[in-house]
Every structure is written in C-alpha cells, then in structure tokens.
Amino acid sequence: MFGVFEDPDNPGEDKCLPDTYVGPGKKDTQVQLVISLALGLSAFFSFCTLRPRWKSLYAARKRHSDPFLGLPALPDTFFGWMPALYRITDKQVLASAGLDAYVFLAFFKMSMRLFAVMFFLAAVVLEPINHHFLSNTDSTHHFLEDPTTPGDDDGDGDGSFDRAKGYLWSYLIFTYFFTCLTLYFLDRETTKVIRVRQDYLGTQSTVTDRTFRLSGIPKDLRTETAIKHLVQRLEIGRVESVTLCRDWKGLDALMEDRKKVLDKLEVAWSLYLAHRPEQPVGGLPRTRSNGSNAGSGPGDAPVDADEEAGESDRLLRGDQSPVPGRRRPQLRFWYGFLRLQSRKTDAIDYYTEKLLQMDEKIHAARRKTHEPADLAFVTMDSIAACQMAIQALIDPHPGRLLTKPAPAPSDVVWKNTYAPRLTRRIQSWTITIFVTILSIVWLAPVAFLASVLSICTINEFLPTFGEWLKEHEIARALVQTGLPTLVVSLLNIAVPYLYDYLSQHQGMISQGDIALSVISKNFFFTFFNIFLIFTVFGAVTSILDVLRNSLKDTTYIAYTLARKITDLSVFYTNFIMLQGLGLFPFRLLEFGSVAQYPLLRAAARTPRDRANLVQPPMFHYGFYLPTALLVFILCLVYSALPDGYLVLGLGLAYFSLGYFTYKYQLLYAMDQPQHATGGAWRMICYRVVLGLAVCHVTMSGYLALRKAFTVALLVAPLFIATLWFAWNFRERVEPLTRFISLRSIQGGAGESAIDDDGDAVAGGALLRRGSTVDEDREKGLRFVNPSLVQPLEQPWLYQDAPPPLVESDIDDIPGLSQDLGGNSSAVHSPPAGGGYETPPLLRGADTASNASSTVSLGDTHVWRE
C-alpha cells in the first residue's frame, strides 16, 4: 500500500512518509467509479422524472423569457429532451442567451475536441510504449526518495541516451505535440470568439454600446453641459446624453429603508388575511383622508382621526375597530426615557403610516440637488464615436478624464458610482489583501483535512482502526481517497459564496466586473490551495522546508512537483471522476434548489415571497468556471505521463457532461443578467497558458528524476515559447476582447462568424428579429439611478401584483431630461413592455387626480440633446 514503507532499521515495521496523505490503488479508483456512477445516475434519473412535472424550476427561464427567443420546446418524454438540446446550434445559443453564455460553452466545446484527440493519441500511441517499458517495474517507486537526491542506481550521469530509457524521449515528443495542439485549438477558438464578438457587438445598437464611462472629472467640469461641450470638442461624434453621477447615498438609504417597511407591512397583512377569503383587488387604497383608517382592510369600520394628533401619536395609535372574531396583528413599541416604556399598537396601521412618511421623504430627496461626483456616463449618437472615445487618451494629466466601456444600465452598482475614488481603491486593496491572507489561512484546514484522512495519520492516532482498514480494502479506499475527494469538492462548492460576497464589497462599478473578479478569486483558490498545497507543499509543516530548499536549489520545486503529481494521480483521477460523473447530474437536478424549496416555501409568508420562488435562479460563472479550468490544467499535466490516458478520458467525459448540463441551464432553467461581453475568454486563455507552464515544469522534473537531464532541458524552449504566446496574446488579441473595432461597426457583419456543422452563417444571421438579446433586455433603459425613478410599490396582498402608484411632479426633479435651454422634456408614454408608472409622491390626496401621468423608467436625471 502506497503511503507507508518498511523501515530499514526495524524490519517488519511500517513507517509513514510525513507528507504523504493519499496513495494510489486500483481499488480506490474502482470504488470511486461505483460511487460516482451511483450518485450521477440517481440524480440524472430523478431529473428526467421531475423535469416535465416541475417546469416552474426546470424551465423557469423559458417560461419567463420572451416567447420569440426561438428556443424549441423540449419534449416531455424521459430521454426525448436530450436530442432536442443537442440540435440547438451556436447561433441559437447566442441569440437566446447572449455573448457570455456563448463564450462559456465555447470553452467546454473546445475542451471536448482537444481532449478527444489527446485521449486517442495517448491511448493508442503513448500507452503501449509505457506498457512495454514499465510493465515490469513499479512506476512510482522512484519518487519515494528525497527529491534533492533523485536518481536510480546508475550514478549521476546523464541517462538521456541510455537505450533502456529511450522511451523517455516519447514523453518529450508528446509534450511538444500536446502543447502545440492545445495552442492550436486555443488560437482557433480565440479567432472564432473574436469574430463572433465583433459581429455581435458591431451589428447591434444598444445604449450600452454607445455609452462610455468617464471618470476622474475635475470639479470645474462636473456639470452635464460642461461634459457635453468637452466631448463634442473632440470632434469624434455628437453627444446624445450625459448622466453625471451624484451623491445619492441618502436617497438610496431611504429606498432600502422603505423596502424593509414594505416587507413588514406585507407580513402584517398576510398574518391578518391568512384565513380570510381573497378579495378581487390587487392592492389597497392608501390615503390620508381624515375619515378613513389608512391601510385598513376591506370591511373595517372607519376610525375617527384626531386632527390635532402629532406624527408620533398616529404611529402609536392602535386598532380602534377590529374585525369581529379576528384580532389584527399587534406591534410592541418601546419609547420614553431609555425606552423603558412600551405599548402595543396596530401593526398594519403603524407600518402603513410609516410607509406614507417614507414616501414623502423620498419625494423630497428626489427633488433635492445632490453633490456631483467625479464619474459620468456619456452616450454618443453612434457606436463608432463611443469606441473612438474609449480607445483614446483625452487628458494629458494622469488620472483625469479616463474613459472605459460602460456596463449595461441594469448592471451598474450605483452606490459605487458616487463613492470617492480613494474610497474605492481602499476597498479594492483591502479585499485583495484579505483574500491573500485568507488563502494562507486556507492552508491549515486543507492540509489538516487531508492529513486526518490519511492512513498514516490514522495508524498513528487510531492504530486499531488503521489495522482494520488494512484488512478491508474497500473501506480503506473510501477513507483514503473517497473522503479527501469529497472534502475538496465540498470546499469547491462552499468557498465561491464567500468570495462572491467579498467581491460585492470591493467597490466595483458593474456586476459584470464583479462576476469576472469572482472567477479570478475562485480560480486562485482552486489552483493555489487545492492544487499547489496538495502537490508541492503537501502539509503546512513542510511549506517552510520547501521554500528553504527552493532557495538553495532552483530545481527543487520542479522535482517536488513531479514527484507529488505522480503520487497524487489517483486522487486527481477520482476528483475529476466525482466532479464529472457524480456531481454534474446533481447540478442538472439543481439539488440545492430542490432541497431548499420546502423550507423556502414554508418561510414564504407573503405573495411577493411566493412569487420570488418561481423566478429563474441566477447562473454565476464564477462558481463553475474555476473548477473547469482546474480540471483542464490537470488533464494537461497528466497528458504525457504514465496512465495519462485515464485522466484524459475522464476529462473528456467531464467537459462533455458539463457542456450539456450548462447548455440546458443557460437556455432553459437559469438566468445570467451580467453584461461582460465575453470578457471571461481572455481569463480562460491566460489560465490555459498557466496550465501549460505547469505541465512543462512537471514534465521537466519528471524527466530529471529519471536522470534524463538532456531530455529534461529540452523542455525549456517549449516553456519559453508558451510564455511568448501569452505575451503575443496580450498585445495582439486582448484589445479585441475589450473593444469593438471600427471596421466591424462599419461593415464587418457580412463576414462569416459561426460555422455549425460546416454551414457558414453570416454575421447578420447572428441577430434575431432585427435585434439581439441584449437589445431586447435594454429596450427603454437609460443610465439613471433607479432610486430616482423606481416605482414605489404598493403592498402586495393578493395573488395578482398591484400596479405601482403614479407620480405627478416628475418635472420638479433637477436635471430631468433637460435640453440646452433648461426646459423639461419628460416622456409621458412608456415603451411597450418596458415602461413603469412612476412612484407616489404623497402630499395628501392629490395623487388620485394625477393618475394619468407616467414616465419611462430611465428617462430621468440625464441631459439629452
């Protein structure tokens, strides 16, 4: 059993290697295969059974999206949905799910093709060579010795030209070939992604594509008119509108407080109406007339209002006319000196009156002139003008008038737009430092969990249990490799939620940037803590030893990496097996949502809560892409090593199952609102290059441990060429993943972009019904803080949502759709499907008389030509 060896000083006694936790064995892989298939098949059959019966979950996006998306309806038969899903083409994915989904699935499709070729060559050509030369030797015994003194018993000479070691040249050849193959597939897919991206963005015309973000605005230019004149003097195009961000902190806080009050009011009404028959109305009238009880339910008797009562007395006033046989919910209110006195008041009346007061405060805050910030969104009349502004330097002073692409209006994190730049930088650096410290802290639990579950540790602390495990091979396999694999997989699931929370507080301007940041943080965790700690370091106690020895010998890490990679081959094989065969069907089943639904359904007390239960869940790329990148790197590292064809075969199964799982979720089950315009692809490319570099270091160390120093040295040119590819990608390709070329805007749409099964599709065919999914999503939107125009909702008490109340004095908001002359130009007709009635600005009973005034969401607080 690997992980123990016979102590030469005490024959017959086993002595544990101090940093060996997981040992290989055929039984371990067999047990893991049975477990993975049992988990995966049970989840898959459960999904096939529940899918036609629970369409509110498994077809949530299809049910809530535009009926003209063009997606085919999947058959309700047990397996009939799979061929229909397979036949959905790339252009349908692009048209219905957007550019980010297309790029994400393109990575999985590229990986399937690449590893299919590599698996075939490794199994047909490389594995027979290994079988011939290594069949009578233990391929792992070489790595049990100290890597500082590697070698066989044939001295310190170079064995590269030893006939017995001639098979090592095949490792070098296949390392070169697999590297070139990877770079070829990556370059070909990158070219395709860029063409699709340029055609997709160049042929659409959303407000996002015509808007750029201007930061570092000096104080003398912080007006809409000054910014407009500044940009138009550049003679790159006509400015259509300018949205200068202002200090809306107080207004945003009021909106948050109002939402909390509204939730409490809805809960109070739900408790009161729990056993009453539903009324055929969508909401309740909210007025302050002296002859009615504000917020009282149907059938309640009027309450005489005390005209001389103050605000606090109205809040404390209890229910004067309870419905016979039913007690209205009560709220205990603490007041007086040190809040030692209390009394009960009617909860519905209290929260209704408080909601009215919040509406008045929001009304006043919306008409208040707020301090301008150093950031603005400038919308040009064309995409070309916007791109010229983005790709140019406007001001000769560092840090002033910086231009960047604007996020979609719905993706803007408005609370960060008016935060000072220094504050955002402090937030960013604080989170970065915290993540770095956290990555070091993770070393302890990761190594501890691995060591606790090792046979060596069990023999030391629980010798009886260790002896029992030696006698029961299946139980040993479960403890030694099954449990560590499960622990690592659970960490991969849990840790992304923490990093997502941290990224939300890093001061970024858009949700798209946050999504890319989550990808970066989670990949760093999976690569550094799971890959490096399990391989190079092995244990917390050996980290300092590794670093100290690396300073003495620069090849020490290469030797250690090669030795540990071979030692952990079974662990990583089982890891890929569990992730692909075992957990992908559970993701398809959405096991978390299924398990939480009864609890969430029981906790849903209001109609709004119950309506939120059927909304499509969000697809977070940062939760899924880092693990896929780690599996990709593992496949590259093991590709040319002995038994590498097993890892490649499991990698092929992983990416095949992942492609169809995520394709179904992105198209039918889950929503992904971020507007990152395919920015994840450049992150994918750099991580693939990192994987190739690790592969080269590992192979060089592997060959050096076999005393083939010349062969090991010949890996160096390949390592340098890979780094050159990364540098060339940064200079030549990366700008095209961030910006839109002017040629694509003017006439690139006619170039072939997507080729499904050999059929070329013109760029114009990427569009559906003359618009893209992003154009449909952004129809009627403008760059404006939602707190300025968001409808103030009525309490949602019955099955149908109530209509928003109407705001009457839109023209009073400073800067509302003003032209050069300062005349207001509020829009009074919302676009079809995208308009909202404005919120109530309650100043008494005058709202009812102005019920016909409406405004399009987003058409406010901007300067427009």
Side-chain angles (χ1 to χ4, degrees):
M1 180 180 64
F2 188 79
V4 296
F5 64 94
E6 187 174 307
D7 189 348
D9 298 330
N10 299 290
E13 276 190 34
D14 287 342
K15 180 179 179 181
C16 286
L17 289 174
D19 57 349
T20 301
Y21 298 145
V22 183
K26 292 183 178 180
K27 182 63 67 175
D28 300 68
T29 303
Q30 294 171 0
V31 170
Q32 186 66 59
L33 178 61
V34 172
I35 294 175
S36 300
L37 288 177
L39 291 174
L41 290 177
S42 61
F44 177 74
F45 290 140
S46 299
F47 169 77
C48 292
T49 303
L50 295 175
R51 187 188 64 84
R53 294 172 173 82
W54 202 348
K55 293 187 178 181
S56 61
L57 175 65
Y58 296 118
R61 182 176 183 270
K62 174 74 172 177
R63 290 162 61 92
H64 290 81
S65 59
D66 190 335
F68 296 100
L69 278 177
L71 284 177
L74 299 181
D76 290 339
T77 56
F78 201 78
F79 296 118
W81 60 275
M82 291 189 290
L85 181 67
Y86 174 79
R87 288 192 294 267
I88 296 177
T89 62
D90 284 348
K91 64 175 180 291
Q92 288 178 297
V93 171
L94 190 65
S96 60
L99 197 56
D100 291 327
Y102 169 80
V103 165
F104 182 76
L105 295 177
F107 169 64
F108 278 78
K109 183 179 288 188
M110 179 197 74
S111 302
M112 290 166 53
R113 294 168 176 169
L114 171 64
F115 293 134
V117 176
M118 294 175 65
F119 168 71
F120 175 80
L121 294 175
V124 174
V125 180
L126 190 58
E127 187 56 27
I129 297 176
N130 291 327
H131 181 75
H132 177 74
F133 286 95
L134 302 178
S135 58
N136 297 323
T137 61
D138 181 6
S139 61
T140 61
H141 80 279
H142 296 282
F143 304 101
L144 297 179
E145 29 186 351
D146 188 346
T148 58
T149 59
D152 302 326
D153 297 330
D154 55 354
D156 296 329
D158 186 1
S160 299
F161 303 98
D162 187 349
R163 184 181 296 272
K165 295 183 179 181
Y167 68 95
L168 295 179
W169 286 90
S170 65
Y171 295 166
L172 176 66
I173 294 173
F174 271 91
T175 300
Y176 267 82
F177 182 75
F178 285 163
T179 299
C180 294
L181 194 66
T182 302
L183 294 179
Y184 167 76
F185 273 90
L186 184 64
D187 183 72
R188 190 181 71 167
E189 196 67 29
T190 298
T191 302
K192 180 179 176 181
V193 167
I194 289 176
R195 288 164 53 196
V196 171
R197 182 183 184 275
Q198 294 293 320
D199 290 344
Y200 184 87
L201 298 179
T203 54
Q204 70 178 10
S205 182
T206 67
V207 65
T208 301
D209 299 316
R210 293 183 289 110
T211 303
F212 65 89
R213 188 176 73 197
L214 187 65
S215 60
I217 304 174
K219 291 185 178 181
D220 58 333
L221 293 176
R222 293 182 185 177
T223 64
E224 288 83 354
T225 303
I227 295 173
K228 177 255 181 181
H229 290 159
L230 169 70
V231 176
Q232 293 203 154
R233 281 199 300 268
L234 300 176
E235 298 182 354
I236 58 176
R238 184 175 64 85
V239 177
E240 187 175 278
S241 66
V242 176
T243 300
L244 178 62
C245 298
R246 300 175 182 272
D247 188 3
W248 295 304
K249 184 177 181 179
L251 178 59
D252 290 340
L254 286 174
M255 294 294 292
E256 289 293 327
D257 293 341
R258 186 189 188 278
K259 184 179 183 301
K260 296 177 182 177
V261 174
L262 180 65
D263 292 341
K264 293 178 180 178
L265 177 59
E266 290 178 345
V267 170
W269 269 111
S270 296
L271 292 174
Y272 182 62
L273 300 174
H275 302 289
R276 291 167 60 92
E278 291 189 355
Q279 305 294 326
V281 294
L284 296 180
R286 293 167 45 207
T287 62
R288 276 188 171 175
S289 58
N290 294 333
S292 64
N293 181 14
S296 298
D300 291 343
V303 176
D304 294 333
D306 184 1
E307 295 184 359
E308 297 181 359
E311 174 183 300
S312 60
D313 186 60
R314 291 199 304 272
L315 291 175
L316 292 174
R317 185 178 61 232
D319 183 17
Q320 301 295 328
S321 58
V323 175
R326 178 157 305 281
R327 183 178 179 85
R328 289 165 66 91
Q330 302 291 305
L331 175 69
R332 183 171 292 277
F333 190 85
W334 295 87
Y335 64 97
F337 179 70
L338 297 180
R339 297 188 178 273
L340 298 177
Q341 296 177 282
S342 67
R343 62 181 297 184
K344 289 185 177 180
T345 185
D346 185 280
I348 294 177
D349 286 346
Y350 177 82
Y351 289 123
T352 298
E353 184 64 31
K354 196 166 186 178
L355 196 64
L356 292 169
Q357 295 171 11
M358 295 295 299
D359 290 348
E360 289 185 342
K361 292 179 181 178
I362 292 173
H363 167 73
R366 285 178 169 178
R367 274 142 182 82
K368 179 182 176 182
T369 301
H370 301 274
E371 187 70 20
D374 68 339
L375 188 143
F377 295 100
V378 182
T379 302
M380 307 298 292
D381 61 338
S382 66
I383 301 178
C386 178
Q387 289 299 314
M388 285 188 284
I390 292 172
Q391 302 177 41
L393 296 175
I394 294 180
D395 195 271
H397 301 86
R400 286 181 53 176
L401 300 178
L402 303 178
T403 57
K404 291 183 178 181
S410 58
D411 285 344
V412 177
V413 183
W414 289 98
K415 67 178 181 179
N416 293 331
T417 60
Y418 50 78
R421 186 188 305 178
L422 179 61
T423 302
R424 296 201 301 269
R425 287 184 176 178
I426 292 176
Q427 286 180 280
S428 178
W429 279 106
T430 301
I431 297 297
T432 301
I433 294 174
F434 181 76
V435 169
T436 304
I437 296 175
L438 191 62
S439 298
I440 298 175
V441 173
W442 282 122
L443 302 182
V446 170
F448 173 77
L449 290 172
S451 62
V452 166
L453 298 174
S454 69
I455 298 299
C456 294
T457 305
I458 293 175
N459 285 335
E460 182 177 353
F461 294 99
L462 298 172
T464 303
F465 183 57
E467 291 297 326
W468 182 83
L469 289 178
K470 288 183 180 180
E471 298 174 359
H472 298 81
E473 193 173 3
I474 294 179
R476 181 198 60 78
L478 286 174
V479 172
Q480 193 171 9
T481 56
L483 290 180
T485 304
L486 179 61
V487 169
V488 170
S489 299
L490 292 178
L491 281 175
N492 260 348
I493 296 174
V495 171
Y497 288 95
L498 173 61
Y499 285 156
D500 179 70
Y501 173 81
L502 294 175
S503 298
Q504 295 287 345
H505 295 79
Q506 203 165 353
M508 297 182 183
I509 300 298
S510 71
Q511 292 292 342
D513 292 339
I514 293 175
L516 296 179
S517 177
V518 173
I519 295 175
S520 179
K521 289 182 178 64
N522 286 330
F523 175 79
F524 180 77
F525 168 77
T526 57
F527 179 78
F528 180 77
N529 292 96
I530 293 180
F531 182 74
L532 290 184
I533 298 307
F534 268 85
T535 52
V536 176
F537 300 116
V540 176
T541 55
S542 65
I543 293 176
L544 295 179
D545 295 336
V546 172
L547 295 177
R548 182 173 58 253
N549 292 331
S550 300
L551 295 177
K552 299 177 182 178
D553 183 5
T554 56
T555 63
Y556 183 85
I557 288 184
Y559 286 135
T560 305
L561 184 62
R563 179 170 65 90
K564 294 293 185 64
I565 282 292
T566 306
D567 295 351
L568 294 171
S569 60
V570 172
F571 171 78
Y572 286 124
T573 299
N574 293 349
F575 174 76
I576 299 174
M577 188 186 304
L578 179 63
Q579 290 288 324
L581 302 180
L583 296 185
F584 267 134
F586 274 92
R587 290 176 180 169
L588 192 63
L589 181 64
E590 296 186 48
F591 180 77
S593 299
V594 174
Q596 292 180 7
Y597 184 82
L599 300 177
L600 296 176
R601 185 66 180 86
R605 293 182 290 180
T606 66
R608 192 184 304 274
D609 294 337
R610 290 188 286 272
N612 290 333
L613 290 178
V614 298
Q615 294 299 317
M618 293 299 170
F619 188 94
H620 298 284
Y621 296 101
F623 289 12
Y624 309 119
L625 184 56
T627 302
L629 289 170
L630 177 62
V631 173
F632 191 99
I633 291 176
L634 290 174
C635 291
L636 291 179
V637 169
Y638 283 101
S639 59
L641 292 176
D643 294 332
Y645 74 99
L646 294 176
V647 179
L648 290 172
L650 290 172
L652 175 60
Y654 173 90
F655 285 102
S656 300
L657 293 174
Y659 174 78
F660 288 102
T661 297
Y662 293 138
K663 186 176 183 179
Y664 179 88
Q665 290 183 327
L666 286 168
L667 296 181
Y668 289 93
M670 306 179 77
D671 200 4
Q672 33 97 28
Q674 283 78 18
H675 190 274
T677 65
W681 186 256
R682 55 180 175 271
M683 303 181 72
I684 291 172
C685 292
Y686 287 129
R687 272 66 179 178
V688 169
V689 170
L690 175 63
L692 288 174
V694 174
C695 174
H696 300 155
V697 173
T698 302
M699 182 55 66
S700 180
Y702 182 93
L703 295 172
L705 283 171
R706 295 301 181 97
K707 292 298 185 67
F709 298 116
T710 300
V711 183
L713 187 62
L714 290 177
V715 179
L718 191 60
F719 179 81
I720 296 174
T722 302
L723 296 182
W724 175 86
F725 178 88
W727 177 85
N728 185 59
F729 177 90
R730 182 180 183 87
E731 296 294 324
R732 180 177 60 91
V733 180
E734 184 176 341
L736 292 173
T737 66
R738 295 181 181 274
F739 311 116
I740 308 174
S741 67
L742 299 181
R743 185 181 176 187
S744 296
I745 299 170
Q746 295 174 358
E751 187 177 357
S752 176
I754 297 181
D755 190 356
D756 288 312
D757 301 327
D759 297 328
V761 179
L766 301 180
L767 311 180
R768 58 175 181 85
R769 308 183 328 275
S771 63
T772 65
V773 64
D774 293 322
E775 286 179 313
D776 290 344
R777 182 184 299 166
E778 298 177 25
K779 187 180 299 181
L781 294 183
R782 294 292 184 271
F783 284 90
V784 59
N785 188 351
S787 296
L788 291 166
V789 295
Q790 187 176 14
L792 301 185
E793 298 172 313
Q794 299 183 74
W796 189 346
L797 308 182
Y798 303 102
Q799 181 177 0
D800 296 330
L805 296 180
V806 178
E807 182 174 332
S808 58
D809 292 48
I810 294 296
D811 294 345
D812 296 339
I813 299 180
L816 168 63
S817 301
Q818 290 183 348
D819 56 21
L820 290 178
N823 299 320
S824 63
S825 57
V827 180
H828 294 282
S829 57
Y836 294 86
E837 290 182 324
T838 55
L841 302 179
L842 298 174
R843 295 187 303 265
D846 60 343
T847 54
S849 62
N850 294 280
S852 63
S853 177
T854 59
V855 64
S856 173
L857 176 62
D859 280 341
T860 61
H861 211 74
V862 297
W863 176 91
R864 182 177 295 114
E865 181 81 327

